[in-house]
Amino acid sequence: MKFRQLFLLLSAVSILCIAAPAFAADSSKGAANSQIFGFWTLVPPLVAIILAFISRNVVLSLFLGVFSGAMMLETTGFDFYHGLLGSFQRVSHEILGSLADSWNAGIVLQCLAIGGLIAVVSKMGGTLAVAEALAKKAKGPRSAQFFTWLMGLIIFFDDYANSLTVGPIMRPVTDRMQVSREKLAFIIDATAAPIAGIALISTWVAYEVGLIKDGFEQVGIQMNAYGAFVETIPYRFYNIFILFFVLAGIMLLREFGPMLKAEERARKHGKVLADNANPMASEETTQLEPGAHVVPSIWNAIIPIGTLIVAAFLGFYFNGLSAIDNAEMLAKINAAPFSFFAVRECFGASDASVVLFQAALLAGIVAMVMGVCKKVFTIEEAITTWILGIKSMTITAVILLLAWSLSGIIKELGTAIWLVSVLSDTLPPFILPSIIFVLGSVISFATGTSYGTMGILMPLAIPLAWAINGDQAYLLLNIAAVLTGAIFGDHCSPISDTTILSSMGSACDHIDHVRTQLFYALAVGGVSVLFGFLPAGLGFSPIITLPLGLAAVVAMLFLVGKKLPDAS
């Protein structure tokens, strides 16, 4: 970025911060701050999001977003000198606090460990062998994209593992079949959180069920929270429609909007990336090609990746089992340790970030041992390769830390609380699910966190829906609107961790990924409201709304989309 552009960006952020009410904010009281700042609580997320699109520099944009929020919290009156000093200290404390959080630290370590794993697998020729094997079956763009979509569904248990695993494996295949990196990133992103959010067993279940349970207790509803979670699945319109949209687009080979231009560029000119793209991949990855003496084997990928998946499943079970302190529940689990109930409860109680880090670390060790035993490399070369893979993920760790810091600043400012207070007025019963869906989308887009949005909206949505209409189906519909709206907004947001990881896994320019995906997500979000939440709010059964929505998705692809060539 040129110095003049940087100066203009910094000037714009300074003006926004100065324009905000310069009161002495209490950084520990988000609700109070939401009343003090009002509309201005939107400044940090808007700075980060708008500057990301203008500058195409995610790190700078996130940093300025965090800094603008810190300025608002630390500046008293018009004492900008001490405000600047305090803001710098607050930004550093936010970043340190984000890394000190055990969950966040586990995610960062998981990303680094998976980067090391993929590097060793690549150096052994495992990724190349899988790519060559799939390339024999993937006769064209359609089949290459279909295998990517299918692999995304297979890794249903965690969205982070999905984003970081599918991309590096499928990228050589989709590149060879002239599928744009933007489309690869979209397929990965659209099969990460959407499938993890509705899977019966995943790292999301405990959190979602816990929120539902707390909401039920709040209004005195006697209902099994997990059973309610399962019953919301037919109402999770965006999750279902976006998964189907990806598949329908692949089968019909139809694209529209910015994605159409990206795919036409890849098909006609063989450019999987735009000329001005800045892919989220390190130069070190070019050093990970297998040597001339290496005979590529798919087992060099299957065994380590299989170790990752198996270790993750076992880790979820035993880690969760050790965390359960309810004697009655433990007795039920011990009576039938392999039952669905036991697996569900253990998975739900596990610390997913720690388990996935441990699984990735174990898989990396297995890969290094395999490589040394097969004489692909020495022990020293194996460790060097693993560290090289970690280095390639450094930018991801930096972005995640800044995104979490921005989320922390937004929470202290009370941004989500202000949005809820403004948008959740008295509404007709039939439109409430749609409003909750849209409200969840806005909060999730602005904050970049689906978990945080669920935590904010669920305690409000359950009592409100129960007070308006005491029907169980209506309550479940509004719960689904919270869970689905949070994922929809997170799917659109450039500051979302899963969106960032999808760009990283596919080695795509992050802003290009967001720009092309946003158009599709909004289209499917519109279908979710018009053919899902609105008719469901009027009392129509999912037996009617789901087929209508799926048909609308296909009709949209035919009416708006343009067919692209396929070699198969």
Side-chain angles (χ1 to χ4, degrees), residues 362-377:
L362 176 61
I365 294 172
V366 169
M368 286 188 280
V369 170
M370 285 181 62
V372 171
C373 291
K374 290 188 172 186
K375 298 183 179 180
V376 172
F377 38 57

Side-chain angles (χ1 to χ4, degrees), residues 437-462:
F437 174 77
V438 173
L439 180 59
S441 305
V442 172
I443 294 173
S444 187
F445 180 83
T447 61
T449 167
S450 52
Y451 273 30
T453 302
M454 293 174 187
I456 291 163
L457 272 186
M458 194 66 79
L460 301 173
I462 290 180

Side-chain angles (χ1 to χ4, degrees), residues 111-121 364 385-390 392-393:
C111 293
L112 298 179
I114 288 181
L117 166 65
I118 296 299
V120 176
V121 169
T385 301
W386 188 75
I387 294 175
L388 202 62
I390 288 178
S392 71
M393 300 295 287

Side-chain angles (χ1 to χ4, degrees), residues 70-88:
M71 279 283 289
M72 293 169 65
L73 289 167
E74 294 295 329
T75 304
T76 303
F78 294 94
D79 184 4
F80 295 111
Y81 173 74
H82 289 98
L84 284 171
L85 292 179
S87 299
F88 179 78

Side-chain angles (χ1 to χ4, degrees), residues 274-325:
D275 292 332
N276 62 341
N278 183 24
M280 288 187 66
S282 173
E283 294 179 0
E284 284 92 350
T285 55
T286 58
Q287 305 175 35
L288 300 178
E289 297 178 0
H293 67 288
V294 177
V295 179
S297 169
I298 61 172
W299 294 106
N300 290 348
I302 291 176
I303 293 176
I305 300 298
T307 300
L308 171 66
I309 295 173
V310 172
F313 269 87
L314 292 174
F316 290 145
Y317 184 89
F318 290 106
N319 181 274
L321 182 63
S322 65
I324 296 173
D325 57 4

Side-chain angles (χ1 to χ4, degrees), residues 100-187:
D101 182 88
S102 61
W103 173 271
N104 292 349
I107 295 301
V108 170
L109 290 173
Q110 171 203 339
C111 293
L112 298 179
I114 288 181
L117 166 65
I118 296 299
V120 176
V121 169
S122 299
K123 194 70 174 178
M124 289 196 298
T127 304
L128 177 63
V130 170
E132 290 177 346
L134 289 176
K136 294 177 181 177
K137 295 184 179 181
K139 303 300 181 183
R142 176 189 285 124
S143 48
Q145 292 177 72
F146 174 75
F147 284 125
T148 305
W149 177 83
L150 186 61
M151 188 172 292
L153 295 188
I154 291 172
I155 306 179
F156 63 87
F157 55 88
D158 184 77
D159 53 333
Y160 293 127
N162 188 315
S163 299
L164 290 170
T165 304
V166 177
I169 290 178
M170 294 306 302
R171 190 167 63 233
V173 181
T174 54
D175 281 357
R176 187 178 302 182
M177 297 303 167
Q178 296 183 326
V179 175
S180 68
R181 292 282 178 84
E182 293 94 325
K183 186 62 186 293
L184 173 62
F186 169 66
I187 296 174

Side-chain angles (χ1 to χ4, degrees), residues 461-477:
I462 290 180
L464 182 60
W466 190 248
I468 290 177
N469 186 339
D471 180 67
Q472 180 176 324
Y474 183 77
L475 177 63
L476 294 173
L477 172 62

